[in-house]
């Protein structure tokens, strides 16, 4: 029933559309820079969901393999090219770049039509009890399947 909210995967990339609302903008009427991070977080979450990772089940399985785990953003490189404005419809595009040891690197773009407004490279680390841990097999298999 809510699949349209999650976007879709095309050519190995997750696409999710969002509309820019007044609350997303700053006093000048353009999207406040930190809000792009929120848009991209939603893209990463829905990307996992559409890859077949019902998050509650996936996390329960990972919890049995590595108790007390969490995903944390380890690093993020952002390039801002053009601003988005209220009422723009944006495409949040997410794709896996690499799955290594305790981290996953994802590419992300925020687009308006053919224009790339923001490009990002996000490295997400897998931790347990405050320390980096190897990514559980269930999550590793899911992400590598998308890379092949």
């Amino acid at each position: 029933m809510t699949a349209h909210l999650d976007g879709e995967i095309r050519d190995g990339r997750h696409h999710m559309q969002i509309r820019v609302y007044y609350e997303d903008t700053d006093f000048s009427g353009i999207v406040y820079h930190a809000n792009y991070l929120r848009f991209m977080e939603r893209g990463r979450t829905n990307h996992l969901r559409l890859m077949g990772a019902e998050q509650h089940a996936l996390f329960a399985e990972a919890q049995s393999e590595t108790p007390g785990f969490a995903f944390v953003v380890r690093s993020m490189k952002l390039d801002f090219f053009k601003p988005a404005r209220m009422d723009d419809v944006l495409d949040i595009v997410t794709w896996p770049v690499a799955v290594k040891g305790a981290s996953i690197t994802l590419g992300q773009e925020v687009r308006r039509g053919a224009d790339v407004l923001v490009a990002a490279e996000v490295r997400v680390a897998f931790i347990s009890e405050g320390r980096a841990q190897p990514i559980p097999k269930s999550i590793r298999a899911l992400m590598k399947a998308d890379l092949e």
Side-chain angles (χ1 to χ4, degrees), residues 116-142:
V116 175
L117 307 181
V118 179
E121 185 173 277
V122 183
R123 193 170 76 171
V124 180
F126 185 82
I127 64 167
S128 177
E129 299 174 357
R131 300 176 61 117
Q133 300 291 328
I135 298 169
K137 293 174 196 153
S138 56
I139 298 171
R140 180 179 299 283
L142 188 68

Side-chain angles (χ1 to χ4, degrees), residues 44-142:
R44 291 191 302 274
T45 298
N46 286 334
H47 179 230
L48 269 178
R49 181 178 290 116
L50 285 183
M51 287 177 51
E54 168 46 51
Q55 291 183 21
H56 295 294
L58 181 66
F59 288 165
E61 185 178 339
Q63 185 71 23
S64 69
E65 203 173 314
T66 312
F69 83 91
F71 279 112
V72 296
V73 172
R74 172 70 172 91
S75 64
M76 183 177 273
K77 179 186 173 214
L78 294 163
D79 287 309
F80 296 91
F81 300 112
K82 296 179 180 181
R85 293 183 168 78
M86 189 170 60
D87 288 332
D88 283 351
V89 174
L90 305 178
D91 190 20
I92 313 304
V93 184
T94 304
W95 65 96
V97 173
V99 180
K100 298 179 183 175
S103 69
I104 299 168
T105 301
L106 298 160
Q108 291 195 281
E109 292 177 342
V110 177
R111 300 177 184 171
R112 182 181 52 231
D115 291 335
V116 175
L117 307 181
V118 179
E121 185 173 277
V122 183
R123 193 170 76 171
V124 180
F126 185 82
I127 64 167
S128 177
E129 299 174 357
R131 300 176 61 117
Q133 300 291 328
I135 298 169
K137 293 174 196 153
S138 56
I139 298 171
R140 180 179 299 283
L142 188 68

Side-chain angles (χ1 to χ4, degrees), residues 20 22-39 80 84:
V20 175
Y22 178 76
E23 67 188 25
D24 299 318
T25 64
D26 63 16
F27 69 92
S28 67
I30 63 173
V31 170
Y32 180 65
H33 70 280
N35 287 332
Y36 291 105
L37 301 177
R38 292 178 35 232
F39 301 159
F80 296 91

